[in-house]
Amino acid sequence: MFKKLRLRFIALTMLSLLLVLLVILGGINLVNYRNVVQQADDVLAVLAENDGSFPGRDGMQPMPFPQDDGTAAEDLKQNSDWRHDHGGLSVEAPYESRYFSVRLAEDGSVNYVDTVRIAAVDMDSAVEYAEQALASGKERGFLDDYRFVVTASSEGDTLVIFLDCGRNLGTFRTFLLASVGMAAAGCLAVLLLVVLFSGRIVRPVAESYEKQKRFITDAGHEIKTPLAIIDADADVLEMDLEDENNEWLQDIRRQTKRLTELTNDLVYLSRMEEQQNSANLVDFPVSDLVSETAQGFQSRALQKEQIFNQNIQPMLTLHGDEKAIRQLTSILLDNAVKYTPEGGRIDLDLEQQGRNIVLTVYNDSASPVPKESMTKLFDRFYRTDPSRSSSTGGHGIGLSIAKAVVQAHKGKITASTADEKSLKITAILPAEGK
């Protein structure tokens, strides 16, 4: 119990950390990538508006030194006007950007290739890039580290402009790898710390749970003695009284019986949850066991005019606790017979699916079965309809025992409802154990 709880705590902690890091790193790197794309698109927009060149910047001559005040002021004004006219683009963009363009006629022939502003691409490579861009069918996108845009030139032919984004993309990739590496190192450090301190964190919870189970077992045994004495005293009183059908004695016997059954169920549930019944695991004919158990409920179903269908695959063998599986079958059938209305249907199915034995009990329900209650159905003392306990005599603990039995056999039990007017409980048990 302690080991399993500790592993769950470690897994949950690491999963939470990974999700947080994924959101943070994913958000940061997504913003960085979008900034790279946006900056490239801003530059390409200016180039597209001017047929593949920067207006007023290409071919500028160096200014003599020293400059007079009027010339410097005029130059600053030109820079400000240029930035304003081109969407706030930096005045250094024409000198920092590496780009090339290709003009294509309607028939696909090349009219013009401009590779003056880039050294890594020759004319043949530029034409190949342009053909790939057109073949992609996209107006803009990436080819290698080049961001491209397909537009129409002022002369009416097709203009494909490419901007070299290698430096920005390289910075983005470096940051991405660095952030992932640092996140991995941080996760490893957190994992070591969680493994180191998880035992101390989980131990009080595990000890409290073990004490609770031990208390239930000890208290159950202690309660049995006074219950037996009360039952014996009721027998003595019955002999002394002239009225053998005294309603008070009958009530004492009835309540004593219910409390005894509840005590036995709690003790049995506690023992099953301890999973210390491995010594009782043997191979036994589960088909015969389920069939024999079902026979005991046929008369009860007949009295309520219920339709009891059985589909039991013969010759099935299960490796487990025979007594516990009998208890499981009895609980599921007892639950079905109790809560199925007169004339309702009960289906019992037992079959082998792969390496598992699947036991399914379906029944119509006399009261609504909300779908949201399916996850709570196996909790102790839980009932979908609290008022029905008085009419059926149930304690709301039977399905908790069923769950404990299935889990002790390393299996899985689920509840479902298709129409909220019926209940289907499915227990999946490994045929050969695990």
Side-chain angles (χ1 to χ4, degrees), residues 39 43 47 54 89 92-99 117-118 163-164:
Q39 291 175 9
V43 174
L47 292 173
F54 285 102
L89 197 66
E92 301 295 335
Y95 310 103
E96 296 175 346
S97 303
R98 296 292 177 262
Y99 57 92
R117 295 294 181 177
I118 193 166
L163 178 68
D164 184 6

Side-chain angles (χ1 to χ4, degrees), residues 183-202:
C187 286
L188 181 60
V190 172
L191 177 60
L192 294 176
L193 292 174
V194 171
V195 171
L196 183 62
F197 294 105
S198 60
R200 299 181 183 180
I201 298 174
V202 174

Side-chain angles (χ1 to χ4, degrees), residues 79 101 119 189 196 263 265 276 287 324 329 336 349 359 365 391 404 415 427 429:
N79 289 339
S101 60
L196 183 62
T263 302
D265 287 345
Q276 295 178 351
S287 297
T329 308
D349 295 283
L359 174 65
S365 179
S391 60
L429 303 166

Side-chain angles (χ1 to χ4, degrees), residues 98-158:
R98 296 292 177 262
Y99 57 92
F100 62 95
S101 60
V102 178
R103 292 184 183 181
L104 301 169
E106 293 183 1
D107 59 359
S109 60
V110 178
N111 288 341
Y112 179 77
V113 178
D114 181 7
T115 58
V116 174
R117 295 294 181 177
I118 193 166
V121 179
D122 56 22
M123 291 189 176
D124 292 337
S125 299
V127 173
E128 292 180 3
Y129 276 117
E131 292 175 348
Q132 293 179 30
L134 292 176
S136 68
K138 299 178 181 178
E139 182 180 348
R140 63 183 67 243
F142 274 104
L143 286 176
D144 296 333
D145 286 344
Y146 299 106
R147 181 74 173 173
F148 71 85
V149 62
V150 179
T151 184
S153 69
S154 59
E155 299 179 1
D157 50 6
T158 301

Side-chain angles (χ1 to χ4, degrees), residues 44-62:
L44 287 173
V46 175
L47 292 173
E49 291 177 358
N50 297 275
D51 288 341
S53 63
F54 285 102
R57 292 291 164 180
D58 291 347
M60 289 186 65
Q61 299 297 323

